[in-house]
Amino acid sequence: MECAGMWIISIITYYTLTLSVKYIIFKKMKLNPTPSYNYKHGRELSIFLSPDLWFATRFKNAIKYDCAEPTDINLADFVKKNNTYNLALSLCLALIAFFSFDILNHEIVFNFAYSIVAIRFISRSGEIGYAFYRDAIQSTKSFTNLDKYDRIKLALKSYVEIYIYSAPVYLLLPNMDTIKAITLSLNVGSLTNVGMAFPEDTSAVNLTVFIQVFTTLCLVILSLASYISRPNTNE
């Protein structure tokens, strides 16, 4: 029961945190007139696996359908800010998790921090993977005003972020500490030594590294190759 309660509190906390970050980004854009916040359908199922994707979709739809200003410019601004804010948030959460593990050494605090970073690991991977996959395969004109250089910058920031938010998740693996977790994330993210996650005392939780592997492959192979091949024009 205590474990279930911890996860429920962590889920509520993470959803609230994600909504707050997206809302801050949205308010900083100072759109005029302010969108009506009428609900627009799309990607409803993502609310269960990726609140980051779900909330991003809600605010993008508000910009796309409820704003009088140029839609592509506003969407591009939201995407860039969302990318930067998420990188900063992932770094903050990772530092908190490492701090609670190494310095506080308090079981309840660490379990709460770990639950948050674990949810982030799945949620943010879903948002990154889906966004770059969609962008790579789309055949129609993009709604954003991003050229190929903007897209490369976004991809590189997301690539760094994957390393950051994956590292604290690996603290739960057997015989793991902060340095080993960071090293494992670097090895898995660069695809140079995924086998490092599978020592002799492997457990099912070791399979979590493949979330980082698949997200990285989706970003690097599908997205960067596509962006480099695009003409230097706004899309």
Side-chain angles (χ1 to χ4, degrees):
M1 287 298 293
E2 291 183 2
C3 181
M6 177 67 72
W7 276 103
I8 292 173
I9 294 173
S10 299
I11 290 172
I12 294 174
T13 301
Y14 187 78
Y15 275 65
T16 303
L17 179 63
T18 304
L19 173 60
S20 299
V21 171
K22 307 293 191 205
Y23 183 75
I24 290 172
I25 295 171
F26 189 77
K27 295 299 289 184
K28 280 184 174 293
M29 295 174 64
K30 298 179 180 179
L31 298 177
N32 185 31
T34 303
S36 63
Y37 300 99
N38 292 329
Y39 184 82
K40 302 293 188 302
H41 293 283
R43 301 168 192 159
E44 276 73 20
L45 292 179
S46 64
I47 193 172
F48 299 106
L49 290 178
S50 180
D52 287 272
L53 175 59
W54 192 82
F55 284 119
T57 300
R58 304 281 73 78
F59 284 107
K60 286 179 182 177
N61 283 345
I63 295 171
K64 191 184 302 182
Y65 299 113
D66 296 330
C67 293
E69 292 88 343
T71 300
D72 55 352
I73 295 175
N74 287 330
L75 281 173
D77 188 26
F78 181 85
V79 169
K80 291 177 183 178
K81 284 183 169 61
N82 186 56
N83 188 251
T84 301
Y85 276 57
N86 272 302
L87 176 60
L89 179 60
S90 291
L91 179 59
C92 290
L93 292 177
L95 291 175
I96 291 172
F98 288 133
F99 178 80
S100 64
F101 181 79
D102 285 326
I103 299 177
L104 289 182
N105 197 25
H106 191 285
E107 183 178 0
I108 294 179
V109 175
F110 172 71
N111 288 341
F112 177 69
Y114 183 85
S115 300
I116 295 293
V117 296
I119 296 169
R120 175 123 185 121
F121 180 62
I122 296 173
S123 177
R124 187 69 180 130
S125 293
E127 183 184 17
I128 290 174
Y130 182 83
F132 284 99
Y133 170 75
R134 286 277 300 183
D135 195 74
I137 67 169
Q138 66 181 357
S139 58
T140 58
K141 183 178 182 294
S142 173
F143 282 104
T144 63
N145 193 37
L146 299 169
D147 59 30
K148 69 175 185 178
Y149 299 111
D150 290 325
R151 297 170 189 274
I152 290 173
K153 290 177 183 178
L154 293 174
L156 289 175
K157 282 186 180 180
S158 295
Y159 185 63
V160 172
E161 186 188 351
I162 293 171
Y163 283 113
I164 293 172
Y165 70 61
S166 298
V169 175
Y170 300 145
L171 290 173
L172 199 62
L173 300 184
N175 304 315
M176 192 63 62
D177 57 34
T178 295
I179 299 300
K180 290 181 180 179
I182 294 173
T183 303
L184 177 58
S185 180
L186 292 173
N187 278 275
V188 173
S190 60
L191 307 178
T192 55
N193 189 10
V194 178
M196 181 182 176
F198 297 94
E200 293 183 0
D201 55 345
T202 298
S203 63
V205 73
N206 293 71
L207 297 175
T208 56
V209 300
F210 288 107
I211 295 178
Q212 183 180 1
V213 171
F214 293 145
T215 305
T216 301
L217 287 174
C218 182
L219 189 155
V220 175
I221 296 177
L222 294 176
S223 303
L224 289 181
S226 175
Y227 300 160
I228 292 172
S229 66
R230 290 174 184 258
N232 187 22
T233 57
N234 289 343
E235 302 172 337

